[in-house]
Amino acid sequence: MSYKDFQTSIQLASEKINNSVEKDQAIVIFGPSSVDALIASSILLKVINHIGGRALIRIGHQFSFENLRIKDHELAVLVDFGINTLKDVTAIYGNNCLIINHQKMSFEERVTDNNESVLNPWKYGINGHIEISTGGITYFVAKQLYKGANSLIPLAITSALAESQDVGEKKSLVGLNQTILDEGKNLGLVVTEIDILLFNKCRSIHESISDTLVPYIHGLTFNPKNCIKILQEGGLLLKINQKWKKCIDMTQEEKFILLRSITKYLGDKETSEDVETSLIGVSYSFPKEKVGSLFFDGRNLSLYLNCCLSSRKPGLGISICLGDRSRSITEFLENIVNCKTNLQSYIQRIFHEGWRLSSENNLDILINCDNIVSPDQLNILCRVLSTNLQFRTKVLILKSDDEDGKTMYFLKSTRYDTFLDIGEIAKESVREVNGYSEGNNVYASCVVPSSDNEKFLSIIRRYMSNDKNETK
């Protein structure tokens, strides 16, 4: 098994799609509520439309497979859904289905793919956790269908960042993601730079820090006054000729002062090395977009698309991915502002109501989000809070009950914590409580009966404790 075999599988997948287009068969693309699925679906839709095909997208949480059949749509393409959906989908669509996914496959799942309906890197010895996202895989499929698909490289890069696949040195991309990145660089579609990873670097320095959600800096994110105070105390000149200096105009020396000021503010618990690890890394910008726009920075864009999903507006995210830069921009910006306002409210309440945070065996941080955060918004909240230095080396567990007797959980390990496979732990744990999970090695979402909450948490912690002990 090799990259060459994976390329052959990509070719077969593209032929299946192309055959449907040539037969004038409509295609339906299904994806869960993830940025990876949103981007992958958009890439496929754009290319299918370009080659004269007909397709539609449905984005949401796990679908009822009895309702998957859509009239007059002959081919079903599932992106970023778990491989365990194959049996249910083939029962409806037969061989006219294709699952594109980068999640790890079990041996049982591999041998049940008799019709080569699953396009997955793990089948070929390629680590889908870190080397390629579902969006990246669909980009390779799109290239087979249409040579001009390389214009979609920024989307593939954004998808990898959304999946936390920047695991190389200084948060760089590796494997097949690096291959896509190199192509994008050669075409002038992507520019990389090692820099301080702050949001909105075209704004004033203190506003840029305050606006930064990833990493989340408790006491500074959402607090521009505190940012001004610590920077002034650190000796950083914030104004020139009575005008605020922009973050983008900082010298290397000033960046060092900024990092030192943040380290001092956070105190002895956060070392200079931890702050630098969180705040310094490779930035990925897209020069075809306007500098400072909502679409210029890949890390920012991945979070902004997540805002669409948390607001139940996947259609808005798809429009942006398809290149809409007209009336959707206003709605996109409004959605981002609303999402940030909500996040600020959620986070302030969580830290204010101390009982919502608990820990056990020094392995995890459980955050009870009942009555303040809807299940749809747990994803983005988990993504933001997992970058808080206070939670480093921990597994973050967020929970929220819904009105149907179910509880949604989001689990995320920090980049400092590599001994656990969160997706596998979640997958094994939900089996014991008749639940459902999706995820990868660092992230998982679970739905379990609310009556089994204590049992589920006990199982999760048992697996985490056992896995950690085995590594000693």
Side-chain angles (χ1 to χ4, degrees):
M1 297 297 185
S2 65
Y3 286 112
K4 184 177 181 180
D5 295 320
F6 185 45
Q7 182 61 38
T8 300
S9 188
I10 289 170
Q11 179 65 42
L12 291 174
S14 67
E15 289 176 359
K16 178 174 281 192
I17 293 173
N18 193 55
N19 288 340
S20 287
V21 172
E22 290 182 344
K23 294 176 182 178
D24 196 30
Q25 295 176 341
I27 301 168
V28 58
I29 305 166
F30 294 100
S33 186
S34 71
V35 174
D36 196 15
L38 191 75
I39 289 176
S41 301
S42 300
I43 287 174
L44 286 178
L45 178 63
K46 190 160 189 174
V47 171
I48 289 171
N49 287 342
H50 190 88
I51 62 175
R54 295 180 292 124
L56 62 82
I57 296 175
R58 289 183 64 184
I59 296 288
H61 291 299
Q62 184 73 2
F63 292 100
S64 172
F65 288 105
E66 290 79 5
N67 299 323
L68 270 180
R69 169 64 76 179
I70 295 180
K71 185 179 180 181
D72 298 328
H73 287 76
E74 300 299 324
L75 175 65
V77 181
L78 276 70
V79 295
D80 210 37
F81 270 121
I83 310 303
N84 53 14
T85 59
L86 178 61
K87 181 178 179 181
D88 295 316
V89 177
T90 52
I92 300 170
Y93 281 88
N95 293 339
N96 293 322
C97 69
L98 175 64
I99 294 180
I100 304 176
N101 186 284
H102 72 106
Q103 296 174 17
K104 193 172 185 178
M105 298 179 69
S106 67
F107 175 76
E108 178 184 358
E109 289 165 342
R110 295 186 192 191
V111 297
T112 55
D113 182 21
N114 297 323
N115 299 313
E116 291 295 320
S117 296
V118 177
L119 176 55
N120 184 287
W122 291 93
K123 293 168 66 175
Y124 309 99
I126 300 170
N127 188 333
H129 285 162
I130 62 175
E131 287 200 44
I132 191 70
S133 65
T134 301
I137 299 170
T138 56
Y139 166 69
F140 286 129
V141 173
K143 278 186 66 179
Q144 294 290 327
L145 292 168
Y146 170 55
K147 291 183 179 179
N150 51 27
S151 64
L152 301 173
I153 285 177
L155 287 179
I157 297 300
T158 301
S159 191
L161 296 173
E163 289 295 286
S164 302
Q165 293 186 332
D166 52 336
V167 296
E169 186 178 1
K170 299 292 184 183
K171 299 183 178 65
S172 58
L173 297 175
V174 300
L176 291 172
N177 283 326
Q178 180 66 48
T179 300
I180 296 173
L181 177 61
D182 289 341
E183 183 184 5
K185 285 182 173 181
N186 291 334
L187 294 171
L189 297 172
V190 187
V191 173
T192 61
E193 179 185 11
I194 296 179
D195 198 4
I196 293 181
L197 302 178
L198 298 176
F199 276 25
N200 245 330
K201 284 186 276 191
C202 289
R203 300 185 70 182
S204 61
I205 300 172
H206 67 281
E207 289 177 322
S208 184
I209 298 173
S210 175
D211 204 34
T212 296
L213 295 175
V214 179
Y216 171 78
I217 310 171
H218 190 54
L220 298 181
T221 298
F222 302 126
N223 197 329
K225 289 184 179 179
N226 262 6
C227 295
I228 291 175
K229 180 180 178 181
I230 69 159
L231 294 175
Q232 287 177 334
E233 290 176 349
L236 186 62
L237 183 65
L238 297 178
K239 287 186 177 182
I240 297 179
N241 297 327
Q242 302 302 312
K243 292 185 177 181
W244 292 109
K245 181 185 294 185
K246 293 182 179 179
C247 187
I248 199 171
D249 296 325
M250 281 195 300
T251 65
Q252 290 300 116
E253 182 179 356
E254 288 172 326
K255 292 176 183 178
F256 173 76
I257 295 174
L258 184 152
L259 291 171
R260 186 178 61 193
S261 299
I262 293 176
T263 302
K264 183 179 179 180
Y265 170 78
L266 292 174
D268 295 335
K269 293 182 180 180
E270 281 71 44
T271 67
S272 176
E273 182 179 351
D274 288 334
V275 173
E276 289 186 13
T277 299
S278 294
L279 280 172
I280 295 180
V282 179
S283 65
Y284 301 85
S285 55
F286 309 134
K288 298 294 183 181
E289 302 286 354
K290 183 180 178 181
V291 176
S293 74
L294 300 172
F295 323 104
F296 182 72
D297 182 277
R299 295 184 185 278
N300 294 358
L301 181 57
S302 71
L303 187 69
Y304 296 158
L305 291 173
N306 214 330
C307 288
C308 294
L309 295 174
S310 69
S311 304
R312 295 188 176 184
K313 295 182 178 180
L316 176 60
I318 291 169
S319 295
I320 295 300
C321 290
L322 294 177
D324 188 343
R325 299 294 184 267
S326 55
R327 63 182 182 181
S328 288
I329 292 183
T330 301
E331 185 181 357
F332 192 51
L333 178 58
E334 290 174 351
N335 189 67
I336 293 167
V337 172
N338 290 337
C339 186
K340 286 185 176 181
T341 300
N342 289 336
L343 283 171
Q344 181 177 2
S345 174
Y346 302 152
I347 292 172
Q348 286 179 342
R349 186 169 173 183
I350 286 169
F351 280 98
H352 179 70
E353 300 174 0
W355 62 269
R356 292 187 179 276
L357 293 112
S358 60
S359 181
E360 186 171 305
N361 298 327
N362 203 33
L363 286 174
D364 65 85
I365 299 289
L366 173 65
I367 301 180
N368 187 326
C369 300
D370 292 346
N371 301 318
I372 59 172
V373 183
S374 70
D376 287 313
Q377 295 165 323
L378 278 185
N379 185 340
I380 192 168
L381 180 61
C382 185
R383 173 175 168 81
V384 170
L385 286 180
S386 67
T387 62
N388 182 17
L389 284 174
Q390 180 181 337
F391 300 145
R392 70 191 189 282
T393 75
K394 300 290 194 300
V395 174
L396 200 63
I397 305 174
L398 274 67
K399 70 171 287 285
S400 180
D401 293 332
D402 66 17
E403 298 177 353
D404 300 319
K406 301 287 185 180
T407 299
M408 173 74 79
Y409 286 90
F410 279 87
L411 288 68
K412 180 80 163 62
S413 68
T414 72
R415 64 176 61 257
Y416 304 98
D417 184 5
T418 58
F419 63 87
L420 298 171
D421 188 327
I422 296 299
E424 283 298 309
I425 289 175
K427 184 178 179 181
E428 293 300 319
S429 299
V430 296
R431 287 179 178 174
E432 300 188 38
V433 293
N434 194 28
Y436 171 82
S437 74
E438 290 281 358
N440 55 38
N441 61 322
V442 297
Y443 169 85
S445 62
C446 309
V447 178
V448 302
S450 298
S451 58
D452 289 328
N453 278 339
E454 291 301 320
K455 180 179 180 181
F456 174 72
L457 288 172
S458 175
I459 297 168
I460 285 283
R461 286 164 170 157
R462 184 184 74 218
Y463 276 115
M464 287 196 300
S465 180
N466 290 343
D467 279 13
K468 186 171 185 179
N469 291 333
E470 288 176 4
T471 63
K472 292 182 178 179

